[in-house]
Amino acid sequence: MMSEAEKYIKLVELIRAGDYEAYGELYELTVMDVYRTVRFLIRDSSDAEDLVQEIYIQAYRSLERYDSERAFRPWLMGVTMRQVRSYRRRRLTQFRFSKRMEKSDTGLEYDFSGDLINKLANRPLLEQVHRLPYKLQQAITLHYLNEYTQEEISCILDIPLGTVKSRIHAALTKLRQNQKLNLGIRGKVEDLHEYR
């Protein structure tokens, strides 16, 4: 029985050999994680969908350079984060998630983001995460939404491990210090905190 990691490597080999069905299979196996991450970092659903397509086009073009000694999923998440960063540069705007959430009773529409709310405990906490600086949002999203290790996040974002640790720590500190958090939310943040 092939491990998940071995299955990705095999699919990459098939794709490099020109097998388009293998690319479709790779897409199906990974698109939910990619979409969920993009959708969390970019509020506009049509922009998010367009960006996911761009990510897979870019990933396809980059497969020739992919080193099969590296785990595939963190590599793909690295492609995803670079495309999100490029999108943000193109837009040159600071996202204002909180304003849209205040106007909407539904908060995040149900798509793949539904289980994110369970991960991050509740909507007030989610709103606080959205108010963090983007670099801190990235670290929190990768660590708590996608459950990547700090080492994997270091590779995905191409930053030192110490920077990853300090961003996660800074994000959790900001969440904890925010005076608007009620005691129930504080408890949830304490549950998230793993680094002293």
Side-chain angles (χ1 to χ4, degrees), residues 34-96:
V34 169
Y35 178 77
R36 184 178 56 187
T37 302
V38 169
R39 187 72 175 89
F40 184 62
L41 294 170
I42 296 173
R43 281 295 292 153
D44 186 277
S45 60
S46 62
D47 281 2
E49 287 165 19
D50 291 346
L51 189 55
V52 168
Q53 296 310 312
E54 286 178 36
I55 287 163
Y56 278 93
I57 290 167
Q58 187 57 47
Y60 183 77
R61 289 180 182 148
S62 302
L63 275 180
E64 283 306 316
R65 296 190 306 275
Y66 167 67
D67 173 7
S68 55
E69 296 298 311
R70 289 181 63 191
F72 180 77
R73 289 168 70 99
W75 176 84
L76 179 61
M77 196 53 67
V79 173
T80 301
M81 287 301 178
R82 285 188 294 280
Q83 291 297 311
V84 169
R85 190 166 55 232
S86 170
Y87 164 87
R88 286 173 57 84
R89 271 200 302 264
R90 287 196 307 267
R91 297 288 292 220
L92 291 174
T93 56
Q94 189 56 36
F95 294 101
R96 298 288 179 237

Side-chain angles (χ1 to χ4, degrees), residues 155-187:
C155 291
I156 289 167
L157 296 178
D158 195 25
I159 58 176
L161 179 58
T163 305
V164 173
K165 289 181 177 181
S166 67
R167 285 184 187 176
I168 291 171
H169 179 75
L172 294 173
T173 300
K174 280 181 185 291
L175 289 173
R176 221 180 294 105
Q177 285 172 345
N178 190 309
Q179 297 306 310
K180 292 177 187 168
L181 293 180
N182 67 34
L183 291 174
I185 300 169
R186 275 187 207 281

Side-chain angles (χ1 to χ4, degrees), residues 91-107:
R91 297 288 292 220
L92 291 174
T93 56
Q94 189 56 36
F95 294 101
R96 298 288 179 237
F97 295 98
S98 56
K99 298 290 179 238
R100 293 176 93 174
M101 290 183 96
E102 283 164 14
K103 290 177 191 165
S104 162
D105 289 337
T106 55

